[in-house]
Amino acid sequence: MKKIAIGCDHGGVELKSEIKNFLIKEGYEVKDFGTNSTDSCDYPDYALPVAEAVAAKEFDFGILICGTGIGIGLAANKVPGIRAALCSDTFSAHATREHNNANILTLGQRVVGPGLALDIVKTFLNTEFEGGRHQTRIDKISEIEKKYNK
Ligand code: RB5
């Protein structure tokens, strides 16, 4: 079964808990990187360990949640090899796996309700990358990373 790394800031604690429970019930292996408190914190502190673990291929996918899903995704995308995609609908979740081979899904707890969020998670985790011309484009993203990581 796939291994999932999950994390959030204080703006995503409730949705993280819902998603984590769902994934465990479905049989996924889940590691929770926190936060588990609604006390104010800084989303990069939770994005970084999840993104590093996914980039190191310790997990198949990551799921990151903050209020909007934006800040935590911006931070995750600074880690080379990470393709974090913010999805608020199932079409985007499907497309970002097929076309972008996204390895982290980001969600906004203040944007999507728990029912839609779970549908997005299911879609993301069950859609395969198409490869081909999409791999060429991802390779070009890697080239950009290399250009600026000297
Ligand atoms: C926290 O208030 C909020 O700014 C954060 O969860 C996130 O939405 C940032 O992008």
Side-chain angles (χ1 to χ4, degrees):
M1 192 45 112
K2 285 174 185 148
K3 294 172 75 174
I4 313 294
I6 193 165
C8 67
D9 74 356
H10 58 284
V13 174
E14 291 90 358
L15 184 56
K16 174 165 71 62
S17 175
E18 293 245 13
I19 293 171
K20 183 181 164 185
N21 291 341
F22 165 77
L23 292 174
I24 291 168
K25 187 164 59 77
E26 291 293 306
Y28 288 93
E29 200 178 313
V30 183
K31 180 166 176 184
D32 186 348
F33 286 78
T35 185
N36 290 302
S37 159
T38 52
D39 294 347
S40 184
C41 65
D42 301 327
Y43 52 79
D45 296 340
Y46 298 91
L48 181 62
V50 168
E52 286 183 334
V54 171
K57 306 214 183 298
E58 292 166 25
F59 296 88
D60 296 289
F61 294 110
I63 299 176
L64 288 169
I65 306 142
C66 66
T68 58
I70 297 171
I72 207 156
L74 292 176
N77 274 316
K78 294 296 178 189
V79 175
I82 290 302
R83 292 175 301 280
L86 171 61
C87 297
S88 302
D89 62 275
T90 54
F91 178 83
S92 298
H94 195 263
T96 199
R97 285 288 310 123
E98 279 192 342
H99 291 199
N100 314 125
N101 200 14
N103 48 15
I104 293 185
L105 168 66
T106 81
L107 292 160
Q109 180 180 282
R110 298 172 190 157
V111 181
V112 292
L116 176 56
L118 288 181
D119 277 353
I120 292 169
V121 168
K122 283 181 221 168
T123 303
F124 185 90
L125 296 180
N126 291 305
T127 305
E128 296 299 322
F129 176 49
E130 278 184 354
R133 69 189 189 282
H134 302 299
Q135 184 60 54
T136 305
R137 294 161 188 167
I138 289 169
D139 290 344
K140 291 189 177 188
I141 295 175
S142 303
E143 290 305 315
I144 296 171
E145 280 178 349
K146 282 184 201 140
K147 181 176 176 185
Y148 287 97
N149 280 333
K150 283 177 183 152

